[in-house]
Amino acid sequence: MVDDFEKVMQRKFKMSSMGTIKFFLGLQVAQTNKGIFLYQTKSVVDILKHFQMETERPAKTPLSVNHVISPYCEGSKVDQTLYRAIIGSLMYLTASRLDIMLAVCLCAHYQANPNVHHMLVVTMILRYLKDTQSLGLWYPCDDGFELTAYSDSDYGGCKKDFKSTSGEVVLNKGEPAKETEE
């Protein structure tokens, strides 16, 4: 059916078929008969190299549990352009790396006036990426898909405006695809 659809599309539109998708808008795509795995390992490596973080020691989490990211952090100012470049690169990675979403979004609040404390947090995110380069999103195609969801929230936990913050994670019991060379 896929081949027939491709032929119909080629007759109606000017297009060509390049085979199985491997890259799409910066996302790497691994397809198997068990499902699809989206990841950005190449982008993570490029970002670490660009910001000269490939030799830094890895971090276990993108953000410490009792983080104190706030506009009132003491510290000298840092290069705004560099800080914004790192945040922009990290935002790009959140397409397949939901594990860094909260930390990156918290840091993005301080792009107008970043200081050394904010830069240390951003550096920790980069160090976390160093050890977790191959993480991504797994979409299984079997019917045995089982979701498990967790939610966490705190009342008044945001240091900027003291609003409630929350986080969720949704997991499945499937195994991620292994990339195969063809």
Side-chain angles (χ1 to χ4, degrees), residues 67 154-160 162-165:
H67 70 83
D154 65 346
Y155 181 73
C158 180
K159 307 295 187 230
K160 184 177 180 184
F162 298 101
K163 291 184 180 176
S164 181
T165 57

Side-chain angles (χ1 to χ4, degrees), residues 71-87:
Y72 312 111
C73 292
E74 301 279 329
S76 58
K77 303 296 177 210
V78 296
D79 181 8
Q80 240 182 28
T81 305
L82 174 63
Y83 187 83
R84 288 177 180 175
I86 295 171
I87 292 295

Side-chain angles (χ1 to χ4, degrees), residues 39-56:
Y39 58 105
Q40 291 175 291
T41 303
K42 182 183 180 324
S43 296
V44 170
V45 170
D46 292 345
I47 289 167
L48 292 173
K49 185 181 288 185
H50 180 76
F51 296 112
Q52 300 164 354
M53 294 293 294
E54 62 263 38
T55 59
E56 296 292 321

